Amino acid sequence: MSQAIAVPLTPAGASAPARRIRNHGSEFTPLLRVVKSQGLLERRTGWYALGISVNLLALAAVAAGLVLFGHSWWSLLLAVPFAVLSARAGFFAHDAGHHQIGADKRRDRLLQLLHANLLLGMSQEWWNDKHNRHHANPNHEDKDPDVAPDVLVFSRHQAEGRTGFRGWLTRHQAWLFFPLTTLEGLALKVYGFQALFSKDGPHQAPRERLIEGGLLFAHVAGYLTLLLSTMSVGRAVVFALIHQMLLGVHLGLAFAPNHKGMEVPDPHGEPWGHLRRQVLTSRNIRGGAFTDWFLGGLNYQVEHHLFPSMPRPHLKLAQPMVRAHCRALGIRYTETGFVDSYRQALGHLHDVGEPLRTAPTAR
């Protein structure tokens, strides 16, 4: 059974405070006022400085380990912490892109270039363009690039008419989801290079293209140099495969349960305000300090979507306020366990493929 919290959305169930909130403008404004009064939008530069420093030192330690033990097949074990630390770099790049780290946006941009382009080989501008469109309209089939039909589809409408290999993928996408995430680390690099050389991509200024391209190529050159100078070609290929596959799975674990299977805005219905647009389409994951660390704070997806620039350590502090505010308004606030979140997300993908599995041509 699902453990998600669900509060009915019926107006009749709204409390007197909820009615008063509605009568005084935006549903989001009172919550924003409270969050600001608690200082939860203020920067935590020291927290980030410590976390980034520790992660960079740990990455350097892995590189040193490859230099010392690269001659042995046991060095392949270092691909595991390398993948975890690379995912941490991705989370810091994500936070810098939302200007969570410092008040100076130029400094955040430099931090994102370091973590996204140089350490991960992922284009900053491509990611920001795609991710900002997602935040503006989560789960909107016409506006959110994260639910656009591609290898996977996220609604039965998108699944209609898919035949051949794409149809097979859709019929089995729930079972294929996690195997496909092993390609995510490489896909991020490919998409970044494609955007860099595309005349329709987000890189408009020549200077931006030069900086991004230089760092992306520096990542590839540095990565290959590290592996090929410390181990044989065959061992380097195996190490790279393990590292990139585990990185992809780790990122998939962090991103997969956040919105899949949640409500989808009706493009022909009454538009939602910021509060409902972000809360109804997002799912939180319960857990403790390890969950917060392992998922990079994205387990507080509701709070992150409501306050994208809120520093990561403040998300859990804002959660009780957000939950109480949603309860007062009668807005469903969804929170579930770690395993159940994937059951819900994969269950949705399985349901989307149902018509193709039961179609006569699929038998």
Side-chain angles (χ1 to χ4, degrees), residues 26 104 343:
S26 169
D104 186 345
R343 185 194 64 79

Side-chain angles (χ1 to χ4, degrees), residues 45-56:
T45 307
W47 186 92
Y48 276 106
L50 177 61
I52 289 172
S53 298
V54 169
N55 199 61
L56 291 176

Side-chain angles (χ1 to χ4, degrees), residues 237-248:
V237 170
V238 175
F239 184 95
L241 286 174
I242 296 173
H243 173 222
Q244 296 299 325
M245 290 173 69
L246 290 179
L247 171 60

Side-chain angles (χ1 to χ4, degrees), residues 131-152:
H131 196 60
N132 288 340
R133 286 187 284 131
H134 158 69
H135 265 263
N137 293 281
N139 270 13
H140 194 296
E141 291 186 7
D142 298 327
K143 299 179 180 179
D144 182 358
D146 285 359
V147 294
D150 194 4
V151 176
L152 303 177

Side-chain angles (χ1 to χ4, degrees), residues 165-235:
F165 181 63
R166 285 183 174 267
W168 180 84
L169 285 174
T170 302
R171 291 195 296 273
H172 305 286
Q173 62 180 5
W175 294 100
L176 294 172
F177 179 80
F178 281 113
L180 286 172
T181 62
T182 61
L183 302 175
E184 185 65 19
L186 293 173
L188 292 175
K189 296 173 176 57
V190 172
Y191 291 144
F193 275 101
Q194 285 178 340
L196 180 69
F197 293 108
S198 173
K199 62 180 180 180
D200 298 324
H203 309 81
Q204 300 302 323
R207 183 173 180 272
E208 291 179 354
R209 286 179 182 265
L210 183 62
I211 294 173
E212 287 249 37
L215 290 172
L216 290 178
F217 280 107
H219 166 80
V220 174
Y223 189 74
L224 292 177
T225 299
L226 173 64
L227 297 190
L228 294 177
S229 65
T230 58
M231 57 185 71
S232 65
V233 174
R235 195 174 300 139

Side-chain angles (χ1 to χ4, degrees), residues 87-95 250-251 254 293-296 298 312:
R88 309 267 77 68
F91 295 144
F92 286 126
H94 167 269
D95 292 2
H250 192 162
L251 294 176
W293 174 83
F294 186 74
L295 299 181
L298 296 177
R312 194 193 309 176

Side-chain angles (χ1 to χ4, degrees), residues 20-348:
R20 286 198 296 272
I21 289 173
R22 285 201 188 95
N23 291 335
H24 287 80
S26 169
E27 294 175 323
F28 178 65
T29 301
L31 177 62
L32 176 61
R33 189 180 301 119
V34 172
V35 165
K36 282 185 174 180
S37 70
Q38 297 296 314
L40 297 183
L41 295 180
E42 297 177 3
R43 297 295 179 261
R44 290 287 299 275
T45 307
W47 186 92
Y48 276 106
L50 177 61
I52 289 172
S53 298
V54 169
N55 199 61
L56 291 176
L57 288 173
L59 284 169
V62 171
L66 289 177
V67 172
L68 294 173
F69 306 111
H71 62 280
S72 168
W73 282 100
W74 288 104
S75 63
L76 296 180
L77 294 176
L78 290 173
V80 178
F82 201 12
V84 173
L85 296 170
S86 297
R88 309 267 77 68
F91 295 144
F92 286 126
H94 167 269
D95 292 2
H98 281 295
H99 305 300
Q100 296 177 13
I101 298 177
D104 186 345
K105 291 186 177 182
R106 290 176 300 178
R107 189 172 300 171
D108 276 346
R109 182 173 184 271
L110 289 175
L111 285 171
Q112 191 181 28
L113 283 170
L114 167 66
H115 287 88
N117 292 63
L118 187 59
L119 294 181
L120 285 185
M122 179 184 76
S123 165
Q124 175 202 52
E125 291 298 325
W126 168 79
W127 170 259
N128 287 348
D129 174 72
K130 174 178 179 289
H131 196 60
N132 288 340
R133 286 187 284 131
H134 158 69
H135 265 263
N137 293 281
N139 270 13
H140 194 296
E141 291 186 7
D142 298 327
K143 299 179 180 179
D144 182 358
D146 285 359
V147 294
D150 194 4
V151 176
L152 303 177
V153 295
F154 305 99
S155 71
R156 291 192 174 189
H157 170 73
Q158 293 175 339
E160 291 176 359
R162 286 172 71 97
T163 58
F165 181 63
R166 285 183 174 267
W168 180 84
L169 285 174
T170 302
R171 291 195 296 273
H172 305 286
Q173 62 180 5
W175 294 100
L176 294 172
F177 179 80
F178 281 113
L180 286 172
T181 62
T182 61
L183 302 175
E184 185 65 19
L186 293 173
L188 292 175
K189 296 173 176 57
V190 172
Y191 291 144
F193 275 101
Q194 285 178 340
L196 180 69
F197 293 108
S198 173
K199 62 180 180 180
D200 298 324
H203 309 81
Q204 300 302 323
R207 183 173 180 272
E208 291 179 354
R209 286 179 182 265
L210 183 62
I211 294 173
E212 287 249 37
L215 290 172
L216 290 178
F217 280 107
H219 166 80
V220 174
Y223 189 74
L224 292 177
T225 299
L226 173 64
L227 297 190
L228 294 177
S229 65
T230 58
M231 57 185 71
S232 65
V233 174
R235 195 174 300 139
V237 170
V238 175
F239 184 95
L241 286 174
I242 296 173
H243 173 222
Q244 296 299 325
M245 290 173 69
L246 290 179
L247 171 60
V249 172
H250 192 162
L251 294 176
L253 287 171
F255 290 108
N258 297 338
H259 302 280
K260 305 298 182 287
M262 296 302 295
E263 290 202 38
V264 176
D266 182 357
H268 307 294
E270 181 179 353
W272 290 341
H274 178 70
L275 185 76
R276 292 174 185 264
R277 183 166 60 249
Q278 305 300 342
V279 173
L280 295 176
T281 59
S282 302
R283 177 191 293 111
N284 276 14
I285 299 176
R286 284 191 298 270
F290 176 78
T291 302
D292 294 356
W293 174 83
F294 186 74
L295 299 181
L298 296 177
N299 46 312
Y300 301 103
Q301 191 67 193
V302 174
E303 289 71 28
H304 170 59
H305 262 256
L306 287 173
F307 307 100
S309 64
M310 179 179 287
R312 194 193 309 176
H314 288 173
L315 294 172
K316 64 181 178 181
L317 303 178
Q319 185 183 38
M321 305 174 195
V322 174
R323 186 191 289 118
H325 187 70
C326 290
R327 184 182 300 115
L329 286 170
I331 297 176
R332 181 170 61 251
Y333 180 99
T334 303
E335 184 180 29
T336 188
F338 187 86
V339 174
D340 192 55
S341 68
Y342 300 107
R343 185 194 64 79
Q344 292 181 30
L346 296 179
H348 172 71

